[in-house]
Amino acid sequence: MFRTGGARIAKAGARGFGTKAQPPSRLRNAVWATGSIVVGGLGYLYLTDASAGIHKYVSTPLMRQLDAEQAHQLAISSMKRGVCPVDRSADDSVLEIELWGKSVTNPIGVAAGFDKNGEAIDALFGLGFGSVEIGSITPEAQQGNARPRIFRVEDSDAVINRMGLPNCGATSAGERLRSRFWRLLASQSKQQGESVATLSASVNRSAVAGRLLGVNVGKCKSSADDSFDDYVTGLQKLGPYADYVVINVSCPNVTNMKANGDVEVLERTVAAVMKARNKMSGEYRPPVVLKIGPDNDLQQLRVIAQVATDYRVDGIIATNTTRQRPGVIGVKEEGGLSGAPLKDMALATTREMYRLTQGRMPIIGCGGIRTAEDALAFAKAGASCVQVYSSMTVDGPGKAREIKDGVVRLLKGRKWADVVGEDARRK
């Protein structure tokens, strides 16, 4: 009996150990799959949100370990391939402005110099900027100055560059802009059921509702000091695809911009460009904006304001970079200084140009803007809108949203448009 029972137990044990494990239930599989999808989806939403802390505190500092120009090239390369976060929040209505008869959802733009060739326009709009300005673009492609030519000033949140306007040239940039414009219009035509021809007559040249695309044009390095033909050529080739065209007469990193300091050359340049703009064929003629430097004294600013008024320039950008080194000690590199140390100079120029033009033309504030307080200070000084660049390289791709949210809080129910020029009205 004992042996028989033991045999039975052994057989039972053998059968028990030899039995295969039961597969997980369908419910368990469904739970795991659902959980994976949810976690993956949340992770994707977080990583692709421009305001996510990982971009400001991890990815941007990592990028800053690279050489400045290498980091810039990597950023542009990633953005043009769509590897870039986005701003998913709608702009508050208090931020809405109107420029040259076009509605813009917010007054925060990205300055020229970041996207020199117009390769990352849609990615930059995706970051929440109300306007994107590309360039400077010259009639012919050029390499710019020798490297290294971009230098970070870490303890001042500043950048010094002596790029020398490297770009792909007006023909290549113009083809890129033309292709993008008609491609987006064709897509909108299918979605809205309107013809491309109808849309082309009504949409912004940015081809994005509530957004403006600016094109900054400059002079070739080989052109004569007092020539203006390059600006006219840039306007003619690129103007049809721009919501506004910027005449860059103030770049401190080229030596042949005599219009930056010679009144007669400036006047001839502005006169020639405005004449060419007024003669452009077709119904569309882009607004022309003059970009000036921060190093002008009061008398020079008076002359600039008078020329801009006399020839009915459509706006002024104040300002470009500076050769001066306000608040920066021990830096020997040559080139234009941008970033936080430039703010006071740019703000003073904005305030003076608004006063001198009596608020009759839009002033675009640019230089050292990093916070909502900075942006609002420029608005009160007379800026219809503002531009950032250096601060985005310091704080990351969420800069537009950060400033917009801060401005909304500071406005306390007022509108941005209501505070433009407030400083002048108080006097």
Side-chain angles (χ1 to χ4, degrees), residues 55-109:
H55 300 301
K56 183 173 183 176
Y57 299 111
V58 180
S59 60
T60 298
L62 285 174
M63 288 278 282
R64 290 178 65 82
Q65 299 305 305
L66 299 174
D67 167 81
E69 189 159 359
Q70 288 178 334
H72 178 254
Q73 291 172 338
L74 177 60
I76 293 295
S77 178
S78 299
M79 294 173 83
K80 72 180 184 180
R81 289 171 173 79
V83 183
C84 181
V86 296
D87 175 18
R88 293 194 177 90
S89 301
D91 291 338
D92 194 295
S93 61
V94 301
L95 297 174
E96 186 174 351
I97 61 172
E98 184 176 295
L99 282 175
W100 307 298
K102 297 178 179 180
S103 177
V104 188
T105 62
N106 76 79
I108 314 301

Side-chain angles (χ1 to χ4, degrees), residues 69 73 116-117 136 138 140-150 162-169 219-222 253-254:
E69 189 159 359
Q73 291 172 338
K116 299 179 186 301
N117 298 316
S136 282
T138 54
E140 303 296 330
Q142 56 184 31
Q143 295 299 314
N145 295 325
R147 300 186 186 191
R149 51 192 183 179
I150 309 180
R162 51 172 181 261
M163 296 292 287
L165 305 186
N167 69 97
C168 63
K219 290 178 65 173
C220 291
K221 193 173 183 178
S222 59
N253 300 315
V254 294

Side-chain angles (χ1 to χ4, degrees), residues 12-336:
R15 286 195 300 268
F17 284 110
T19 302
K20 294 182 179 179
Q22 293 297 316
S25 68
R26 291 182 178 179
L27 177 59
R28 189 182 307 169
N29 280 339
V31 169
W32 276 105
T34 302
S36 298
I37 292 171
V38 170
V39 171
L42 292 174
Y44 171 81
L45 290 174
Y46 176 75
L47 291 173
T48 57
D49 183 349
S51 299
I54 192 171
H55 300 301
K56 183 173 183 176
Y57 299 111
V58 180
S59 60
T60 298
L62 285 174
M63 288 278 282
R64 290 178 65 82
Q65 299 305 305
L66 299 174
D67 167 81
E69 189 159 359
Q70 288 178 334
H72 178 254
Q73 291 172 338
L74 177 60
I76 293 295
S77 178
S78 299
M79 294 173 83
K80 72 180 184 180
R81 289 171 173 79
V83 183
C84 181
V86 296
D87 175 18
R88 293 194 177 90
S89 301
D91 291 338
D92 194 295
S93 61
V94 301
L95 297 174
E96 186 174 351
I97 61 172
E98 184 176 295
L99 282 175
W100 307 298
K102 297 178 179 180
S103 177
V104 188
T105 62
N106 76 79
I108 314 301
V110 62
F114 184 81
D115 187 6
K116 299 179 186 301
N117 298 316
E119 299 173 287
I121 294 169
D122 293 303
L124 288 168
F125 280 133
L127 291 179
F129 289 104
S131 61
V132 171
E133 187 177 313
I134 67 169
S136 282
I137 298 171
T138 54
E140 303 296 330
Q142 56 184 31
Q143 295 299 314
N145 295 325
R147 300 186 186 191
R149 51 192 183 179
I150 309 180
F151 310 91
R152 301 185 184 102
V153 187
E154 299 292 353
D155 59 346
S156 301
D157 292 327
V159 175
I160 294 173
N161 92 83
R162 51 172 181 261
M163 296 292 287
L165 305 186
N167 69 97
C168 63
T171 300
S172 177
E175 176 56 32
R176 184 176 293 115
L177 293 178
R178 186 198 67 79
S179 176
R180 173 187 174 277
F181 180 72
W182 292 112
R183 172 173 50 81
L184 291 179
L185 254 63
S187 175
Q188 293 173 26
S189 175
K190 291 180 180 179
Q191 295 174 3
Q192 300 176 21
E194 294 186 61
S195 69
V196 171
T198 300
L199 286 173
S200 66
S202 60
V203 302
N204 295 344
R205 261 34 191 181
S206 69
V208 182
R211 301 286 196 269
L212 297 184
L213 174 62
V215 178
N216 185 303
V217 298
K219 290 178 65 173
C220 291
K221 193 173 183 178
S222 59
S223 298
D225 292 2
D226 59 352
S227 65
F228 51 73
D229 292 341
D230 287 355
Y231 296 118
V232 172
T233 299
L235 169 72
Q236 292 170 335
K237 287 190 174 184
L238 303 170
Y241 305 104
D243 288 303
Y244 64 97
V245 173
V246 180
I247 307 304
N248 182 4
V249 297
S250 55
C251 178
N253 300 315
V254 294
T255 59
N256 64 339
M257 285 189 178
K258 200 172 181 181
N260 190 32
D262 189 308
V263 174
E264 292 184 3
V265 176
L266 174 64
E267 185 169 6
R268 288 201 301 269
T269 298
V270 171
V273 171
M274 297 308 295
K275 181 179 180 180
R277 193 282 303 271
N278 294 337
K279 286 187 174 181
M280 287 179 69
S281 60
E283 296 182 1
Y284 181 69
R285 296 179 177 87
V288 171
V289 178
L290 190 66
K291 186 165 187 174
I292 65 174
D295 303 314
N296 298 290
D297 59 28
L298 181 56
Q299 182 56 37
Q300 289 171 317
L301 291 178
R302 285 196 183 103
V303 172
I304 293 170
Q306 191 63 55
V307 169
T309 301
D310 289 348
Y311 290 93
R312 298 185 179 180
V313 170
D314 299 291
I316 293 174
I317 296 181
T319 65
N320 215 318
T321 58
T322 178
R323 290 192 181 95
Q324 297 185 47
R325 297 291 182 263
V328 178
I329 302 173
V331 177
K332 298 180 180 180
E333 296 294 346
E334 295 181 355

